[in-house]
Amino acid sequence: MSFQAYSLHPDRLFDADSSIRSVARALYQEIRQLPIVSPHGHTDPSWFADNKPFGNPAALLLQPDHYVFRMLHSQGISLESLGIVSKDAAVEVEQDPRKAWQIFADNFHLFRGTPSRMWMDHALTEVLGVDQPLNSKTAQTIYDHIDAQLKTEAFLPRSLYERFNIDVLATTETAVDTLEHHCRINESDWQGRVITTFRPDSVTDPEHPDFISHMALLAEQTCEDIHQWAGYLNALRKRRAFFKSTGATATDHSYPTFFTTVLSQETCQSLLSKALKGELSSTDAEQFRGHMLVEMARMSQEDGLVMQIHCGVFRNHNQSLFNRFGADKGADIPLKTEFVHNLRPLLNEVGNDPNLTMILFTLDEDVYSRELAPLAGHYPALKLGPAWWFHDSPEGMMRYRRMVTETAGFYNTVGFNDDTRAFLSIPARHDVARRVDCNFLASLVCEHRITEEEAFDLAHELTSGLAKKAYRL
Amino acid sequence: MSFQAYSLHPDRLFDADSSIRSVARALYQEIRQLPIVSPHGHTDPSWFADNKPFGNPAALLLQPDHYVFRMLHSQGISLESLGIVSKDAAVEVEQDPRKAWQIFADNFHLFRGTPSRMWMDHALTEVLGVDQPLNSKTAQTIYDHIDAQLKTEAFLPRSLYERFNIDVLATTETAVDTLEHHCRINESDWQGRVITTFRPDSVTDPEHPDFISHMALLAEQTCEDIHQWAGYLNALRKRRAFFKSTGATATDHSYPTFFTTVLSQETCQSLLSKALKGELSSTDAEQFRGHMLVEMARMSQEDGLVMQIHCGVFRNHNQSLFNRFGADKGADIPLKTEFVHNLRPLLNEVGNDPNLTMILFTLDEDVYSRELAPLAGHYPALKLGPAWWFHDSPEGMMRYRRMVTETAGFYNTVGFNDDTRAFLSIPARHDVARRVDCNFLASLVCEHRITEEEAFDLAHELTSGLAKKAYRL
Amino acid sequence: MSFQAYSLHPDRLFDADSSIRSVARALYQEIRQLPIVSPHGHTDPSWFADNKPFGNPAALLLQPDHYVFRMLHSQGISLESLGIVSKDAAVEVEQDPRKAWQIFADNFHLFRGTPSRMWMDHALTEVLGVDQPLNSKTAQTIYDHIDAQLKTEAFLPRSLYERFNIDVLATTETAVDTLEHHCRINESDWQGRVITTFRPDSVTDPEHPDFISHMALLAEQTCEDIHQWAGYLNALRKRRAFFKSTGATATDHSYPTFFTTVLSQETCQSLLSKALKGELSSTDAEQFRGHMLVEMARMSQEDGLVMQIHCGVFRNHNQSLFNRFGADKGADIPLKTEFVHNLRPLLNEVGNDPNLTMILFTLDEDVYSRELAPLAGHYPALKLGPAWWFHDSPEGMMRYRRMVTETAGFYNTVGFNDDTRAFLSIPARHDVARRVDCNFLASLVCEHRITEEEAFDLAHELTSGLAKKAYRL
């Protein structure tokens, strides 16, 4: 393998224009080595508690990454052939990870122009030391190389955490999680900071598949009578306190649609009773969810946990795929979302509290310039999360900055987060965000819309300052 | 103060690319000195009638500018601390304008990347002669400097009007305004052209807070029986004629939502009767408003006044702020708007009349390429207003040009208007628009999509030709 | 006429930045001579069957082009004055094509910055050999020149087809068309490939003005009992087979709104019976249309015809113009469209079939990044059609690539199609698309997001590879 053969270009993602590129380079040089602040993500805390080697290349890089296998599926490649486990016993699932890897390599051209390609190239070259491009011919050699690497001490989770220069890494757990892995990490002598995030959807959304069982667990864990409205809220308060005690600084909320409302206590009690009997209509469920966002905001006012809201996705859109393979198989599709009316009950309740931080995400880019930037540019409690999921990409980030900055400013945004379960892609994702942000700032400098001094200051803010402040890290 | 320390860059807002910048400079050089045509705005006509000095720096530049204090509020700074008067006697309002100004200066970094920053920098350096950047340290020195300037003859309203090289400046008054200031300006020997715009919302929208009182005034002013449909329309005709007699060339209409319809005379009479008794349902009020846009268009066909329509904003979204401070406190949020169906009744009534001009504005950028550009590229009566309010900004204007031009052409647009009550920002706003337009034209030249000769012609049109023609000035 | 006076710039549509432009040039050089693949359009097959000379310049270039006369109409120029035939006998229609042409030339500046201008310039200079700009003074000279050209052998339809280097040209015919022209072309010794496309809207949309008469024709042509559900489907199968036998590889479906559903056979029979009696409510008609898209997809699974869907346009928005001039007079306006819910019934039925190809078009650009790219990046049967109609333009195409590529990749798109009835504009339209695509690829190369080698490969795919594969040509 020759190094010349394949490496990332040092100027990638910087503008073709030499004056912008030159400023972008200087800005990037300033912040590229800053530790990674990752306040929102989905890595597995047991990796850092156990510190055992990762599995084979396909199990690490291909099979868990729905960004990757959705694209292969879109071109007619079956998930079974990629080794993804099916509930349908009739269809044979590929058992040999080398064969799955080969299919991936054979079709790597499909990712041209996508962020998956950039992340994968970065993970292969920068993290795993691969020095040739992935394709049909190189697939098995590269497989061997990665497989060997993964067996070394340098590729254990904690070693990688340190090598990645991570300052803090947040994971996400349901409200009834035992947080055993986080507790073990806290009790260990390892210095890494891996914190959880309180994600209560399964006990605040009566239509969540785990609602009944998780409510039972919630009662058990807290010794509260969750059939009574006050007891239910107390139970949630106790779990929040437990999460906070292990290091959590934030909560996370995700519903298919976005809606908030303020209900009377009587109505709440009545909806709760019906919900626990499984007798809630879907309209009532929406009311319950909408009110619970307000309750969560009120608890955030009490305990100081930062509140994140990610709504507006049709989950598991592909019914037959869901039946065969279950959830999270690359068929989640964004929905149109309306915030002006739907956010108002919540904002009228808590929006003027400067001590509360609510971070809003959207996959509906239309609302950035029309709704979210004007709202975030006004309400003290509201901040905008970064370009997310499908828009965690150079074009998506650039559109976000261009649509948000003029109305909300930089200081009502919260920096980047990687939102990923693909641990090896974390450096790549932060690197992309840093490059795109530096390039955006450089373009403002070159058009004399901010000074170079301001750009240096802002580059620091966008890389870690805003995230640390917003997430109270 | 040293001039080097702080001044606007002569190439600001021009592309970083040297070939585009070079063409943009040449285009800008050609039109930068053209007189300002300001056909739509909200300055106070008494300034020009009375010609008295403006107040202190905070009263002039900070307290009336909702673009500015909304951003400060979004970061937890109270409006009271900025000296903005509250209805809530329990909260102390800052009485010292110097202290309010200091807070503004302390937080000036919040405006990085926003148009407010550009306008403020322009007003400070170009208009007020400040030669250092505004920040915590310079705040009081700059306050002193501005305060002294405002007391001089050169900073009287009429002097500034002349210095700004304004050709015509339109203000906006309600249908029942006495227009005393405009009459005094007309009767004076001053040569400035300050004209009013007929804004009848308070007598065409039954849900307007002033509807009942303004309808009574309307009856009184016109000696018409406004309880009869014909009398009501006649009253409006008379007021339009009065506005026109003082110099008005246009009307302006703003409703929260956008809807048009054509009702029978019987229905109109019935709705009017209910409206005057305060018995209109909100559905009926929408019908009334929708029909009144059609009546206004018919009157424009009669009297030649140009009709402007600005709809789609949720006013005073922040309830508790509204309760304490009243309207216009930076909490107006744009709404999704649909034009294809909602505009059809109006267009089917008057859209093919080439002698009528209706100018449509939107804050919902989605409709530019999907709805408004196709409509304006077809109907003779329809023209598109410029990027407006939150989108009166470099990115907003650039998106507007890129989404509108290919389908509607340049000639179905109406040039720039500043829509401002901040008099000192007028030169800045027009300068930004001229620069962005020149830069857009330059990019078309450099991609060989128009010739340089065409670009010079278009630069003139976009700066003043189209506005003069559309607004009949 | 001097050649210097007017010619297309060889670098038109390439970025002003010299590094991007240089790569764009190299890419374009590689693919500019590739034969034109035109898998979707509306040229008249009789032109190629009869091979008779085209009419006069106005009849060829102005009167049939609704892109052109809509813009003139928007500026108050009557369609009658352009020689467009009206049903209203009271209004005189200009009979002299020279006079209509003169008006067009007098107002040619209206098209500055629009694609019509680029196409017209290309047709005039490159196809017709005009060497001066079109304006008031040159109008008649240019008219003479074109008129003379059109009488020569070189400007017969088949000669132009060959000169344009067209590989395959698809037209569009209703389900009950006799395809006589295509049969005559097939039977002739001419080598050109002009194929039809199966467009069954008039027999699948009960609200189509020709529904009753075309259903009668359908029955007659197929000897099926179209009153019975099974017979109706069989009739459609037979027509599809006939279209396929003459060379068709695709179907095309266009409804005002987009909606799909799966109904029981009983419901279908009941709706069909009502439809044939003209007794269908508009809600029922929507159900019928929605189900028929599913039936058409099922037939495509059987016979392999590629299915194209173009929905979301309010046709003939201008009622009085429609009354006087009929359909297709430049008053079709795009509508907001929702795909996530509306496409799901169809996708759940056939979306996972890798042997089916459904190509989706939209005029609602909002859905690209939010809905269509995520859907096409997942479902094997789904591909995205190119930027279409109003967005068949440099800005429209660029927005499409930037919003679609990161999520759907290049390989879930299908290349360019011209969708035109303006035969002389075909080379121009493909040339614009090739230039914009090469420029987009060049920008990715210069930002190091793809390699130059990949860009060359992709340039071939976007120019013809993807279209040939998707349309099975």
Side-chain angles (χ1 to χ4, degrees):
Chain A
M1 291 190 186
S2 109
F3 184 73
Q4 272 309 95
Y6 204 64
S7 66
L8 302 183
H9 196 286
D11 283 336
R12 64 192 181 278
L13 295 174
F14 295 156
D15 205 283
D17 179 83
S18 58
S19 58
I20 297 178
R21 187 189 299 166
S22 150
V23 177
R25 266 183 201 150
L27 293 170
Y28 176 71
Q29 206 51 39
E30 177 85 5
I31 52 85
R32 63 187 289 263
Q33 306 278 21
L34 288 179
I36 285 176
V37 176
S38 174
H40 178 110
H42 300 276
T43 52
D44 184 340
S46 74
W47 295 338
F48 309 100
D50 298 338
N51 203 31
K52 289 185 188 156
F54 289 108
N56 65 64
L60 177 63
L61 297 171
L62 166 59
Q63 288 150 358
D65 191 337
H66 59 84
Y67 277 101
V68 168
F69 61 70
R70 64 187 288 281
M71 183 65 92
L72 298 169
H73 178 256
S74 80
Q75 289 280 316
I77 295 160
S78 77
L79 298 188
E80 290 90 348
S81 70
L82 300 171
I84 293 167
V85 180
S86 164
K87 295 171 183 170
D88 181 353
V91 187
E92 199 178 347
V93 171
E94 181 57 61
Q95 297 301 322
D96 184 351
R98 285 182 174 280
K99 289 192 180 159
W101 183 259
Q102 184 68 44
I103 292 174
F104 175 43
D106 292 345
N107 291 281
F108 199 53
H109 64 283
L110 298 177
F111 298 94
R112 286 170 180 168
T114 71
S116 296
R117 164 66 181 274
M118 286 190 309
W119 300 330
M120 194 58 71
D121 276 354
H122 190 286
L124 292 175
T125 61
E126 302 286 306
V127 179
L128 292 157
V130 172
D131 63 359
Q132 40 187 341
L134 182 64
N135 57 39
S136 294
K137 286 184 199 160
T138 61
Q140 296 306 323
T141 315
I142 289 176
Y143 186 97
D144 289 338
H145 175 83
I146 299 173
D147 207 43
Q149 295 280 61
L150 294 182
K151 296 190 167 89
T152 64
E153 173 116 19
F155 284 83
L156 292 178
R158 291 183 180 180
S159 308
L160 285 175
Y161 178 103
E162 283 150 21
R163 182 176 152 205
F164 292 168
N165 193 21
I166 296 176
D167 189 41
V168 56
L169 179 69
T171 66
T172 308
E173 275 72 37
T174 69
V176 293
D177 196 279
T178 60
L179 303 186
E180 54 162 328
H181 306 303
H182 292 86
C183 293
R184 279 166 53 218
I185 296 166
N186 287 343
E187 286 155 13
S188 77
D189 56 1
W190 183 54
Q191 296 305 311
R193 186 173 175 201
V194 177
I195 62 177
T196 186
T197 303
F198 181 73
R199 172 94 170 240
D201 303 341
S202 64
V203 291
T204 59
D205 175 5
E207 294 184 324
H208 193 284
D210 298 327
F211 181 72
I212 295 295
S213 65
H214 281 196
M215 285 293 269
L217 257 175
L218 180 67
E220 197 182 305
Q221 288 173 336
T222 62
C223 303
E224 292 285 345
D225 180 1
I226 54 101
H227 290 81
Q228 297 305 310
W229 184 247
Y232 168 58
L233 294 189
N234 269 337
L236 289 167
R237 270 190 203 96
K238 285 186 177 173
R239 293 306 295 170
R240 293 172 65 105
F242 174 55
F243 271 65
K244 198 175 163 185
S245 75
T246 72
T249 70
T251 70
D252 186 29
H253 308 270
S254 174
Y255 296 148
T257 56
F258 183 66
F259 173 75
T260 70
T261 188
V262 181
L263 304 176
S264 71
Q265 220 161 310
E266 295 68 42
T267 309
C268 290
Q269 179 61 59
S270 152
L271 291 177
L272 176 64
S273 303
K274 281 195 226 165
L276 288 166
K277 290 184 219 150
E279 291 172 358
L280 223 47
S281 70
S282 84
T283 313
D284 281 349
E286 183 80 342
Q287 292 284 316
F288 192 89
R289 283 191 294 265
H291 178 84
M292 285 309 297
L293 283 178
V294 175
E295 290 292 353
M296 289 294 103
R298 287 170 180 164
M299 290 188 198
S300 278
Q301 288 182 301
E302 293 169 14
D303 63 20
L305 290 178
V306 172
M307 184 177 188
Q308 300 173 87
I309 306 179
H310 301 74
C311 292
V313 184
F314 192 124
R315 303 270 173 186
N316 311 309
H317 190 269
N318 189 332
Q319 190 63 49
S320 78
L321 210 78
F322 177 73
N323 295 345
R324 275 152 62 211
F325 296 95
D328 299 328
K329 289 300 172 286
D332 296 346
I333 311 292
L335 288 169
K336 208 178 289 191
T337 313
E338 201 278 346
F339 288 93
V340 185
H341 293 100
N342 287 318
L343 197 55
R344 195 164 180 252
L346 178 59
L347 288 174
N348 272 339
E349 189 78 13
V350 301
N352 289 311
D353 182 353
N355 296 317
L356 173 67
T357 302
M358 295 193 295
I359 302 173
L360 225 61
F361 295 76
T362 188
L363 286 166
D364 181 356
E365 296 181 302
D366 297 351
V367 303
Y368 279 133
S369 73
R370 188 180 60 224
E371 304 178 17
L372 292 190
L375 287 165
H378 171 77
Y379 283 99
L382 201 64
K383 297 280 173 286
L384 297 189
W388 171 52
W389 199 338
F390 294 115
H391 305 139
D392 177 6
S393 65
E395 300 289 342
M397 289 173 191
M398 201 49 113
R399 284 196 295 268
Y400 171 85
R401 291 281 175 221
R402 294 205 181 279
M403 290 193 288
V404 158
T405 307
E406 293 183 324
T407 298
F410 287 105
Y411 294 85
N412 286 308
T413 64
V414 302
F416 176 70
N417 73 54
D418 54 71
D419 190 31
T420 193
R421 59 199 77 221
F423 186 48
L424 265 66
S425 76
I426 286 181
R429 289 170 193 251
H430 286 262
D431 188 64
V432 167
R434 291 174 185 197
R435 287 173 177 273
V436 173
D437 281 339
C438 288
N439 198 59
F440 176 64
L441 294 171
S443 76
L444 295 187
V445 169
C446 292
E447 294 169 11
H448 310 288
R449 291 158 72 179
I450 57 174
T451 66
E452 201 155 340
E453 195 187 341
E454 290 177 312
F456 276 95
D457 187 26
L458 285 165
H460 277 272
E461 289 290 352
L462 300 185
T463 303
S464 59
L466 292 174
K468 281 186 183 170
K469 191 182 166 208
Y471 285 91
R472 306 183 180 183
L473 293 167
Chain B
M1 293 189 184
S2 111
F3 183 72
Q4 269 312 94
Y6 202 63
S7 66
L8 303 183
H9 197 286
D11 283 336
R12 64 193 181 277
L13 296 174
F14 296 155
D15 206 283
D17 179 82
S18 58
S19 58
I20 297 178
R21 186 189 300 165
S22 148
V23 177
R25 266 183 202 151
L27 294 170
Y28 176 69
Q29 206 50 41
E30 176 85 5
I31 53 85
R32 63 186 290 261
Q33 305 277 22
L34 288 179
I36 286 177
V37 176
S38 174
H40 178 112
H42 300 276
T43 51
D44 185 338
S46 73
W47 295 339
F48 308 101
D50 299 339
N51 203 32
K52 289 186 186 155
F54 289 108
N56 66 64
L60 176 64
L61 296 171
L62 166 59
Q63 288 150 357
D65 191 337
H66 61 83
Y67 277 100
V68 168
F69 62 69
R70 65 188 286 282
M71 182 67 90
L72 298 169
H73 179 255
S74 81
Q75 289 279 315
I77 294 160
S78 77
L79 297 189
E80 289 90 349
S81 71
L82 299 172
I84 292 169
V85 180
S86 164
K87 295 170 185 173
D88 181 352
V91 187
E92 200 180 346
V93 172
E94 180 57 61
Q95 297 301 322
D96 183 350
R98 286 184 174 278
K99 288 193 181 158
W101 182 260
Q102 184 70 43
I103 293 174
F104 175 44
D106 291 346
N107 291 281
F108 200 52
H109 64 283
L110 297 178
F111 297 94
R112 286 170 179 169
T114 71
S116 296
R117 166 65 181 275
M118 288 191 307
W119 301 330
M120 196 58 72
D121 276 355
H122 189 286
L124 292 175
T125 60
E126 302 287 306
V127 180
L128 293 156
V130 171
D131 62 0
Q132 41 186 342
L134 182 65
N135 57 42
S136 295
K137 285 185 201 159
T138 60
Q140 297 305 323
T141 316
I142 289 175
Y143 186 96
D144 290 338
H145 175 81
I146 299 173
D147 207 42
Q149 295 280 59
L150 295 183
K151 295 188 168 92
T152 64
E153 172 116 18
F155 284 84
L156 293 178
R158 292 185 180 179
S159 307
L160 286 174
Y161 179 101
E162 282 149 22
R163 181 175 153 206
F164 292 169
N165 193 19
I166 297 177
D167 189 39
V168 56
L169 179 69
T171 66
T172 307
E173 274 71 38
T174 67
V176 294
D177 196 278
T178 60
L179 305 186
E180 52 162 328
H181 306 302
H182 292 87
C183 294
R184 279 167 53 218
I185 296 168
N186 287 342
E187 286 155 13
S188 78
D189 57 1
W190 184 53
Q191 297 304 313
R193 186 173 174 201
V194 177
I195 61 178
T196 185
T197 303
F198 181 74
R199 172 94 171 240
D201 302 342
S202 65
V203 290
T204 60
D205 174 6
E207 295 183 323
H208 193 285
D210 298 327
F211 181 73
I212 295 295
S213 65
H214 281 195
M215 284 294 268
L217 256 177
L218 180 67
E220 196 181 307
Q221 288 173 333
T222 61
C223 302
E224 293 283 346
D225 179 359
I226 55 99
H227 290 80
Q228 296 306 311
W229 184 247
Y232 170 57
L233 295 189
N234 269 337
L236 289 166
R237 269 189 205 99
K238 285 185 179 175
R239 294 306 294 169
R240 293 171 65 105
F242 174 56
F243 272 65
K244 200 176 161 186
S245 74
T246 73
T249 71
T251 71
D252 186 28
H253 308 269
S254 174
Y255 296 148
T257 57
F258 184 66
F259 172 74
T260 69
T261 188
V262 181
L263 304 176
S264 71
Q265 220 161 311
E266 293 69 42
T267 309
C268 290
Q269 177 63 58
S270 150
L271 292 176
L272 176 64
S273 302
K274 280 195 226 163
L276 287 167
K277 288 183 220 150
E279 291 173 357
L280 223 49
S281 70
S282 85
T283 313
D284 281 348
E286 182 80 343
Q287 292 284 316
F288 192 88
R289 282 191 294 265
H291 178 84
M292 284 311 295
L293 284 178
V294 174
E295 291 292 351
M296 289 294 103
R298 287 171 180 163
M299 290 188 199
S300 278
Q301 288 183 300
E302 292 168 18
D303 63 19
L305 290 178
V306 171
M307 184 177 185
Q308 301 174 86
I309 306 178
H310 301 73
C311 291
V313 183
F314 192 124
R315 303 270 171 183
N316 310 308
H317 190 268
N318 189 331
Q319 189 64 49
S320 78
L321 210 76
F322 177 73
N323 295 344
R324 276 155 59 215
F325 297 95
D328 299 327
K329 290 298 170 289
D332 296 346
I333 311 292
L335 290 168
K336 209 177 289 190
T337 313
E338 202 276 348
F339 288 93
V340 185
H341 293 100
N342 287 319
L343 198 54
R344 197 166 179 250
L346 179 58
L347 287 173
N348 272 338
E349 190 78 10
V350 302
N352 290 310
D353 181 354
N355 297 316
L356 173 68
T357 301
M358 294 193 296
I359 301 173
L360 225 62
F361 295 76
T362 189
L363 286 166
D364 181 356
E365 295 181 304
D366 297 353
V367 304
Y368 279 135
S369 74
R370 187 180 61 224
E371 305 178 17
L372 291 190
L375 287 165
H378 171 75
Y379 283 99
L382 201 65
K383 298 282 171 283
L384 296 189
W388 172 52
W389 197 340
F390 294 116
H391 305 138
D392 177 6
S393 65
E395 300 290 342
M397 289 174 192
M398 201 49 115
R399 285 197 294 269
Y400 171 85
R401 292 280 174 221
R402 294 205 180 278
M403 291 194 286
V404 158
T405 308
E406 294 184 323
T407 297
F410 287 105
Y411 293 86
N412 287 307
T413 62
V414 303
F416 176 69
N417 72 54
D418 53 72
D419 190 30
T420 192
R421 62 196 77 221
F423 186 49
L424 264 65
S425 76
I426 287 182
R429 290 171 193 249
H430 286 262
D431 187 63
V432 168
R434 292 175 185 196
R435 288 173 176 274
V436 173
D437 282 338
C438 287
N439 199 59
F440 176 64
L441 293 171
S443 76
L444 296 187
V445 169
C446 291
E447 294 170 11
H448 309 288
R449 291 156 74 177
I450 56 173
T451 65
E452 202 156 338
E453 197 188 340
E454 290 176 312
F456 275 95
D457 187 27
L458 285 164
H460 278 271
E461 290 289 353
L462 300 184
T463 303
S464 59
L466 292 173
K468 280 185 185 172
K469 193 182 163 206
Y471 285 91
R472 306 183 181 183
L473 293 166
Chain C
M1 294 190 186
S2 109
F3 185 72
Q4 271 310 94
Y6 204 63
S7 66
L8 303 183
H9 196 286
D11 282 337
R12 63 191 181 278
L13 296 174
F14 295 156
D15 206 283
D17 180 83
S18 59
S19 58
I20 297 179
R21 187 190 299 167
S22 149
V23 178
R25 266 183 202 151
L27 293 170
Y28 176 69
Q29 206 51 40
E30 176 85 5
I31 52 84
R32 63 187 289 262
Q33 306 278 19
L34 288 179
I36 286 174
V37 176
S38 174
H40 179 110
H42 300 277
T43 51
D44 185 339
S46 73
W47 296 337
F48 309 101
D50 298 339
N51 204 34
K52 288 186 187 152
F54 288 109
N56 65 65
L60 177 63
L61 297 171
L62 166 59
Q63 287 150 359
D65 191 337
H66 60 83
Y67 277 100
V68 169
F69 61 70
R70 65 188 286 282
M71 183 65 91
L72 297 170
H73 179 254
S74 81
Q75 289 280 317
I77 295 161
S78 77
L79 297 188
E80 289 90 349
S81 71
L82 300 171
I84 292 168
V85 180
S86 163
K87 295 172 184 172
D88 181 352
V91 187
E92 200 180 347
V93 172
E94 180 57 62
Q95 296 301 324
D96 183 351
R98 284 183 176 280
K99 289 191 180 157
W101 183 260
Q102 184 69 42
I103 292 174
F104 176 42
D106 291 345
N107 291 282
F108 200 53
H109 64 282
L110 298 177
F111 297 95
R112 286 171 179 167
T114 71
S116 296
R117 164 66 182 274
M118 288 191 307
W119 301 330
M120 194 58 71
D121 276 354
H122 190 285
L124 292 175
T125 60
E126 301 287 304
V127 179
L128 292 157
V130 171
D131 62 1
Q132 39 187 344
L134 182 64
N135 57 40
S136 294
K137 285 184 202 162
T138 61
Q140 297 306 324
T141 317
I142 289 176
Y143 187 96
D144 290 336
H145 175 82
I146 299 173
D147 207 43
Q149 294 281 60
L150 294 182
K151 296 190 165 89
T152 64
E153 173 114 19
F155 283 84
L156 291 179
R158 291 185 180 178
S159 306
L160 286 175
Y161 178 103
E162 282 150 20
R163 183 175 151 204
F164 291 169
N165 193 19
I166 297 175
D167 190 38
V168 56
L169 179 70
T171 66
T172 307
E173 275 72 37
T174 69
V176 293
D177 195 278
T178 60
L179 305 186
E180 52 162 330
H181 306 301
H182 292 87
C183 293
R184 279 166 53 215
I185 296 167
N186 288 343
E187 285 154 14
S188 77
D189 56 1
W190 183 53
Q191 296 304 311
R193 187 174 174 200
V194 178
I195 61 177
T196 185
T197 302
F198 181 74
R199 172 95 170 240
D201 303 341
S202 64
V203 291
T204 59
D205 174 4
E207 294 184 324
H208 193 284
D210 299 326
F211 182 70
I212 296 294
S213 65
H214 281 195
M215 284 294 268
L217 257 174
L218 180 67
E220 197 181 304
Q221 287 173 335
T222 61
C223 303
E224 292 283 348
D225 180 359
I226 53 101
H227 290 80
Q228 296 304 313
W229 184 248
Y232 169 58
L233 295 189
N234 268 337
L236 289 167
R237 269 188 205 100
K238 285 185 179 173
R239 294 306 295 170
R240 293 171 65 105
F242 173 56
F243 272 64
K244 198 176 165 185
S245 74
T246 72
T249 70
T251 70
D252 186 29
H253 308 268
S254 174
Y255 296 149
T257 57
F258 185 66
F259 173 74
T260 69
T261 188
V262 180
L263 304 176
S264 71
Q265 218 159 314
E266 293 69 42
T267 308
C268 290
Q269 178 62 58
S270 151
L271 292 177
L272 175 63
S273 303
K274 279 195 228 166
L276 288 167
K277 288 185 219 149
E279 291 173 357
L280 225 47
S281 70
S282 85
T283 314
D284 282 349
E286 182 81 344
Q287 291 284 316
F288 191 89
R289 283 191 294 265
H291 178 84
M292 284 310 297
L293 283 177
V294 175
E295 290 293 350
M296 289 294 103
R298 288 171 179 161
M299 290 189 199
S300 278
Q301 288 183 302
E302 292 168 18
D303 63 19
L305 290 178
V306 170
M307 185 176 185
Q308 300 173 86
I309 306 178
H310 301 73
C311 292
V313 183
F314 192 124
R315 302 270 172 185
N316 310 309
H317 190 268
N318 189 331
Q319 190 65 46
S320 76
L321 211 75
F322 177 72
N323 294 345
R324 275 155 60 213
F325 297 95
D328 299 328
K329 289 299 169 288
D332 296 347
I333 311 292
L335 289 168
K336 210 178 286 192
T337 313
E338 201 277 346
F339 287 94
V340 185
H341 292 100
N342 287 318
L343 198 54
R344 196 164 179 251
L346 178 60
L347 288 173
N348 272 340
E349 188 78 11
V350 302
N352 289 311
D353 181 354
N355 297 316
L356 173 68
T357 301
M358 294 193 297
I359 302 173
L360 225 61
F361 295 76
T362 189
L363 285 167
D364 182 356
E365 295 182 302
D366 298 352
V367 303
Y368 279 134
S369 74
R370 186 180 63 223
E371 304 178 19
L372 292 190
L375 287 166
H378 171 76
Y379 283 99
L382 202 63
K383 299 282 172 284
L384 296 189
W388 171 53
W389 198 339
F390 293 115
H391 306 138
D392 176 6
S393 65
E395 300 290 342
M397 290 174 190
M398 200 51 113
R399 284 197 294 268
Y400 171 86
R401 292 281 174 220
R402 294 206 181 279
M403 290 194 286
V404 158
T405 307
E406 294 183 324
T407 297
F410 287 104
Y411 294 86
N412 287 308
T413 62
V414 302
F416 175 69
N417 72 54
D418 53 72
D419 189 30
T420 192
R421 59 198 79 221
F423 186 48
L424 265 65
S425 77
I426 287 182
R429 287 170 194 251
H430 286 263
D431 187 64
V432 168
R434 290 174 186 197
R435 286 173 178 274
V436 173
D437 281 339
C438 286
N439 198 60
F440 176 64
L441 293 171
S443 76
L444 296 186
V445 169
C446 292
E447 293 170 12
H448 309 288
R449 291 157 73 177
I450 57 173
T451 65
E452 202 156 338
E453 194 188 342
E454 290 176 312
F456 275 95
D457 188 26
L458 285 165
H460 277 272
E461 290 290 352
L462 300 184
T463 304
S464 58
L466 292 173
K468 281 185 183 172
K469 193 181 165 207
Y471 284 91
R472 307 186 180 180
L473 292 166

